Amino acid sequence: MANVTTAQLFEEPFDADEYIERLAWRTPGGGSKGGAEAFDPKKLLEEFVNHIEELKLLDERIQRKVEKLEQQCHREAKEFAHKVQDLQRSNQIKEAADIIQKLHLIAQELPFDRFSDVKAKIASKYHDLERQLIQEFTAAQRRGEIGRMREVAAVLLHFKGYAHCVDVYIKQCQEGAYMRNDVFEDIAVLCQRVNKQVGEVFCSPETVMAKLIQSIFENKIQAHVKERLDETRNSDVEQYLKNLYDLYTRTTALAAKLSDFNLGSDKHTFLSKLIKNIFSCYLESYIDMERQYLQSRSGMILQRFYDSKNHHKRSVGTGSIQELKERIRQRTNLPLGPSIDTHGETFLSQEVVVNLLQETRHAFERCNKLSDPADLPKNAFSIFLLLVEYLCVDHIDYALEIGLSAIPSADAKNANLYFLDVVQQANTIFHLFDKQFNDHLMPLISSSPKLTECLHKKKEVIEQMEVKLDTGIDRTLNCMIGQMKHILVTEQKKTDFKPEDENNVMIQYTTACSKVCAYVSKQVKRVRRSMDGKNVDTVLTELGVRFHRLIHEHLQQFSYSSMGGMLAICDVAEYRRSAKDFRVPLVLQLFDTLHALCNLLVVAPDNLKQVCSGEQLTNLDRNLLHAFVQLRVDYRSARLARHFS
C-alpha cells in the first residue's frame, strides 16, 4: 500500500510543497486544518521518517534499472555499430571486387612492354583480394554463417578462384563426416545434409553437388574399395569375391540414392562413370577369378566327400574303347570291366549336391551383378558348364558308373540290388539341378542366343545319364528275374504238380510260389520308393511283363495231374494277387490270361473246345493252347487228343 501511495504522490506535474502537503493530509492526525482526529506531530514525524526510507529504497531500485537499461542500450548500440561496419565492409569488398575485376579485364588488353608494372600491380591486387575472399568464405563456413557464405560466393563467382572456393567448401563439408563404421551410410547422410545447404550458398548448386559426389567417389570410396579388396585378392579368393560383390552392390545402391539429387542433365551416366572408374580394374578379371574359385571349391567339396568314405576315386575311362564297351553293355547287358562291391554305398550325397548348388547359386548372383550386360549370358553359361562338370559328370555320372559296375550278373544268388538306391538319389538330385537351372540361370540367359546352347547342353547331359539309368534299371530287373528264377529252380519240385497221393494234398499253393510272391512284393515296394511320376509305371510294367514271362515259361516245364493242375491254378492265382500290387492293367491282364490257360490243365476233355473259345482264350494262338494241353499227364489218351484236334 505504501508503494502505491507513493506512486500516487508522484503524479505529474510534481511540486515538492504540494507533495509534502498531500503526504501530511493522508497521515492520520497530520492535517493542519483539523478534522476527525486532532493534530499529532509525533505521528506526522514518524510517517515522514518511514516515507523517507521508502523513497531511498525506491531510488535504489530505479537506479539499478537505469544502469541495466544503460548497459543494454550500450550493448545494442555496439552490436548495431558492428553490423553497420560489416555492411560497410561488405559493400567495400563488393565495390573493390567489382573495380579490381574490371581493372583485371582491362589489363589483359594493355601491351606488356609499356604497362608491365601496372599489369603486375593489378594482378597482385587481384590475387590478394581473391585470397581474402576465400579466407572469408572459409571462416564463414566454419562459423555456419550461410548468409555470409552466400555473399562471398556470389562475389567470387566472377573470379578465377571460384572453383577453389567450391573445393574448400567440399573439403570442409567432409571434415568429421566419416565417424561410423559404415562409410556408405556416412556418405548418404553427408550428401543429404549438403544437398539441403548447397542451394542456399551457391548459384549453381547442381554443379557443386556433382563435384562433391565426384570427390567422394574418387577419394573416399575408391580408397575404401582398394583397402578391402587388396587385402584378400591374393590370399583368400572366396572372401575377395564376397567383398567385391558387397562393395559393388552397396556402391550402386548408394548411386541410386544420389540420383534423386539434382546433379545436372545426365546424372545417371555421370554416376555410372564414377562407379566404372573405381571397379573396372576388378571387374575385368572377375569371371576368371569366379571360375577359378568355383573349380577349386567344387573339387574340394567332392574330394572331402570321397575321403570321408575312404574311397579312392577310380577312372571311369574315356575314348573309343570305353565308348565301345558302353555300347556293348547297353545292348547286351554284359557287365564289362571289373565288378566291384560297393557295400550298399551309392556314392551320391545330398549334402554334396546342396553345397555345390549353393556355391553355384552365389556365383550366379555375383555374375548377374558384376558382369557387363553384354557378357552376362556368356559368363553365366561358363558357370553352368562348371556345375555340369562337377555335379553331373564328376559326381552323378561317376556314381552311375560305379553303380553299374556293382550290379551283379543275372544268375547271381542272393544279390543285393543297390542300383535302385542310386536311381532314387539321382532323381532327387535331378530335381534340385533343374530347379537351379530354372530359378538362377534362366533369368540370366533367357533373352540371349546362349539360351539355346544352355538348353541343348542340359538336354544332352540328362539324356546321357538317363541312358545309364535305363541300362542300370534294365540290368537290375534282369537280376530280379534271375533271383525269382533261382527260387523257382531250387524250391519247385516236379512232384508239386504230380503228387503221389492225389487225395492227400493239404497245401493252398507251393512253397516256391510263396517265396517268389514275397520277393516280388518286396521289389515292387523298392521300385516305388526309388522312382517317381510315370517312371514308376514304366518300370513296374517292364518288371511285371518279365515276371509273367518267367512264370509262363516255368509252368511249361512240368507235367500236371488233375490235382497238380488244381495246385498250379492256385499258384497262378497267388501270382495274380501279387500282380495287383503293380497297379498296372497290362500286367494283371497277362496273369488273368495265364490263369485261364491253367484251367486247360484240369478241364474235362469234353469241355476243352468250349473253354478254348471262351472270352479270355479265344484270341490266343492255337499252338499256345495246344502247348498247355500237352502238359496234362492224360494228354496221350486217345479221347483227349481227339477232343483237342
Side-chain angles (χ1 to χ4, degrees):
M1 179 64 74
N3 289 339
V4 175
T5 302
T6 302
Q8 292 174 346
L9 293 174
F10 274 106
E11 293 177 356
E12 293 293 337
F14 179 76
D15 182 88
D17 293 337
E18 182 65 23
Y19 174 77
I20 294 173
E21 184 64 31
R22 278 183 290 169
L23 178 61
W25 181 78
R26 290 171 181 265
T27 302
S32 60
K33 298 181 180 178
E37 293 187 24
F39 175 73
D40 188 343
K42 290 183 178 180
K43 285 186 178 181
L44 185 59
L45 176 61
E46 182 180 352
E47 180 62 25
F48 280 176
V49 171
N50 290 337
H51 196 72
I52 289 170
E53 292 300 321
E54 290 177 9
L55 289 175
K56 288 180 180 179
L57 293 174
L58 180 61
D59 180 64
E60 291 175 359
R61 285 198 298 271
I62 292 173
Q63 188 62 35
R64 285 196 299 269
K65 188 173 183 181
V66 168
E67 290 174 356
K68 185 176 181 182
L69 290 173
E70 285 178 346
Q71 291 174 356
Q72 182 177 349
C73 182
H74 180 71
R75 185 170 58 253
E76 291 178 355
K78 190 174 182 179
E79 291 176 357
F80 180 75
H82 281 309
K83 288 183 179 179
V84 171
Q85 290 175 359
D86 289 341
L87 289 173
Q88 290 175 341
R89 186 170 61 252
S90 175
N91 289 332
Q92 293 169 356
I93 290 176
K94 291 179 182 178
E95 293 172 2
D98 185 53
I99 293 170
I100 199 64
Q101 177 68 20
K102 291 177 180 177
L103 287 173
H104 184 71
L105 292 174
I106 294 172
Q108 305 302 314
E109 307 296 329
L110 297 175
F112 182 79
D113 55 346
R114 292 176 55 191
F115 299 97
S116 58
D117 290 343
V118 175
K119 290 168 68 79
K121 290 179 180 179
I122 293 174
S124 176
K125 188 63 177 177
Y126 179 92
H127 292 306
D128 287 344
L129 184 58
E130 186 180 62
R131 185 174 63 256
Q132 291 173 17
L133 288 169
I134 292 173
Q135 289 174 350
E136 176 62 23
F137 181 89
T138 303
Q141 184 178 2
R142 293 190 185 280
R143 295 192 300 267
E145 297 177 356
I146 302 299
R148 184 61 179 152
M149 292 167 64
R150 180 172 58 249
E151 292 174 359
V152 177
V155 174
L156 275 168
L157 182 61
H158 304 291
F159 281 76
K160 294 180 180 179
Y162 179 73
H164 184 54
C165 172
V166 173
D167 292 339
V168 168
Y169 174 78
I170 289 172
K171 181 181 178 181
Q172 291 197 167
C173 281
Q174 298 181 69
E175 290 180 358
Y178 307 111
M179 304 298 292
R180 300 178 179 84
N181 292 328
D182 189 340
V183 67
F184 294 97
E185 185 63 27
D186 283 334
I187 292 171
V189 172
L190 168 64
C191 291
Q192 189 71 38
R193 172 172 59 81
V194 173
N195 185 61
K196 295 178 180 178
Q197 183 186 86
V198 72
E200 301 177 8
V201 176
F202 298 97
C203 60
S204 299
E206 68 279 2
T207 304
V208 179
M209 198 66 197
K211 199 166 184 180
L212 168 66
I213 290 173
Q214 181 176 354
S215 172
I216 290 172
F217 271 73
E218 292 179 350
N219 295 287
K220 190 63 180 180
I221 295 180
Q222 184 153 8
H224 179 68
V225 168
K226 188 176 188 304
E227 180 185 3
R228 288 279 306 279
L229 295 182
D230 286 359
E231 65 185 6
T232 57
R233 189 167 192 170
N234 298 319
S235 60
D236 188 343
V237 179
E238 178 182 11
Q239 192 59 50
Y240 169 81
L241 290 171
K242 288 179 179 179
N243 289 347
L244 178 58
Y245 175 77
D246 176 66
L247 290 168
Y248 189 82
T249 300
R250 300 203 65 190
T251 303
T252 52
L254 175 64
K257 289 182 181 179
L258 299 181
S259 66
D260 293 339
F261 302 142
N262 182 7
L263 305 176
S265 58
D266 200 5
K267 56 186 176 184
H268 295 289
T269 302
F270 167 69
L271 290 169
S272 297
K273 187 176 180 181
L274 292 177
I275 295 173
K276 183 178 180 180
N277 290 341
I278 293 174
F279 288 97
S280 59
C281 63
Y282 303 105
L283 297 183
E284 287 172 358
S285 60
Y286 154 69
I287 193 60
D288 292 333
M289 297 192 73
E290 185 72 80
R291 294 183 74 258
Q292 172 192 342
Y293 165 70
L294 201 55
Q295 286 176 314
S296 173
R297 179 65 175 169
S298 299
M300 186 191 73
I301 290 172
L302 289 176
Q303 190 58 51
R304 188 169 57 194
F305 167 70
Y306 295 122
D307 289 345
S308 72
K309 300 294 181 182
N310 199 24
H311 173 74
H312 179 68
K313 195 174 182 183
R314 68 190 189 98
S315 173
V316 295
T318 56
S320 57
I321 295 178
Q322 179 65 21
E323 292 172 0
L324 177 62
K325 286 183 177 181
E326 184 62 30
R327 286 198 296 272
I328 295 173
R329 182 168 59 182
Q330 290 175 17
R331 295 182 183 180
T332 64
N333 283 316
L334 294 175
L336 300 179
S339 178
I340 62 173
D341 186 0
T342 63
H343 303 287
E345 176 59 59
T346 64
F347 291 102
L348 286 173
S349 166
Q350 189 160 338
E351 180 183 356
V352 167
V353 172
V354 168
N355 287 338
L356 290 174
L357 290 176
Q358 182 174 330
E359 292 292 345
T360 310
R361 177 172 61 82
H362 291 325
F364 281 137
E365 290 173 352
R366 289 191 290 263
C367 178
N368 185 31
K369 178 65 70 172
L370 301 176
S371 295
D372 185 277
D375 296 331
L376 176 57
K378 177 185 67 176
N379 291 348
F381 182 63
S382 69
I383 293 173
F384 172 66
L385 291 180
L386 290 176
L387 177 63
V388 169
E389 177 184 349
Y390 287 94
L391 175 62
C392 299
V393 177
D394 287 357
H395 191 56
I396 304 176
D397 191 72
Y398 177 75
L400 293 178
E401 287 286 349
I402 297 296
L404 286 171
S405 300
I407 297 175
S409 61
D411 57 356
K413 300 176 183 179
N414 300 319
N416 290 318
L417 305 178
Y418 295 119
F419 192 79
L420 288 181
D421 296 331
V422 176
V423 173
Q424 178 184 6
Q425 289 182 268
N427 280 332
T428 301
I429 295 171
F430 281 152
H431 289 309
L432 295 174
F433 172 75
D434 193 55
K435 178 173 173 55
Q436 179 157 103
F437 183 92
N438 293 325
D439 292 351
H440 295 96
L441 177 60
M442 283 294 287
L444 309 184
I445 60 169
S446 58
S447 58
S448 79
K450 282 292 180 183
L451 174 61
T452 303
E453 197 172 349
C454 282
L455 290 173
H456 175 74
K457 184 63 179 179
K458 177 189 173 188
K459 182 173 180 288
E460 177 185 66
V461 169
I462 290 180
E463 285 179 349
Q464 288 175 355
M465 288 191 283
E466 283 180 342
V467 167
K468 293 181 180 179
L469 285 171
D470 291 344
T471 301
I473 291 171
D474 182 65
R475 290 171 59 190
T476 299
L477 295 183
N478 282 343
C479 287
M480 291 179 181
I481 298 301
Q483 190 69 18
M484 296 179 207
K485 187 174 183 180
H486 175 71
I487 294 172
L488 291 172
V489 168
T490 55
E491 298 293 338
Q492 197 86 70
K493 306 295 188 292
K494 290 188 176 182
T495 55
D496 287 344
F497 302 117
K498 198 165 58 174
E500 296 177 358
D501 186 354
E502 292 278 324
N503 297 320
N504 192 28
V505 178
M506 304 299 294
I507 57 175
Q508 295 180 337
Y509 41 80
T510 66
T511 301
C513 171
S514 174
K515 290 186 176 181
V516 167
C517 288
Y519 180 80
V520 168
S521 177
K522 180 180 177 182
Q523 301 312 313
V524 168
K525 291 177 181 177
R526 287 194 69 182
V527 170
R528 291 195 183 281
R529 284 198 310 268
S530 305
M531 308 287 172
D532 58 2
K534 294 181 180 179
N535 293 330
V536 175
D537 291 339
T538 301
V539 174
L540 287 180
T541 298
E542 183 62 29
L543 177 60
V545 169
R546 297 186 191 187
F547 173 39
H548 167 266
R549 186 186 304 124
L550 173 67
I551 300 302
H552 185 277
E553 293 173 353
H554 173 71
L555 290 174
Q556 289 182 307
Q557 298 176 16
F558 299 91
S559 296
Y560 298 88
S561 65
S562 177
M563 182 54 66
M566 292 297 295
L567 196 55
I569 291 175
C570 291
D571 274 6
V572 172
E574 193 64 19
Y575 291 136
R576 184 174 62 175
R577 189 175 293 110
S578 290
K580 289 181 179 179
D581 293 340
F582 287 71
R583 303 174 198 167
V584 178
L586 173 62
V587 176
L588 189 59
Q589 180 184 345
L590 289 173
F591 278 94
D592 284 342
T593 302
L594 182 59
H595 189 269
L597 279 171
C598 288
N599 285 331
L600 296 177
L601 301 176
V602 297
V603 70
D606 296 339
N607 295 331
L608 273 174
K609 287 188 177 181
Q610 180 182 352
V611 172
C612 288
S613 61
E615 179 181 355
Q616 290 183 310
L617 300 180
T618 186
N619 294 324
L620 294 182
D621 185 89
R622 186 170 180 80
N623 292 329
L624 176 60
L625 300 177
H626 193 191
F628 260 82
V629 173
Q630 287 179 320
L631 299 177
R632 295 171 59 135
V633 293
D634 59 355
Y635 170 73
R636 299 203 176 274
S637 66
R639 184 164 170 251
L640 182 61
R642 184 176 66 253
H643 277 290
F644 196 75
S645 62

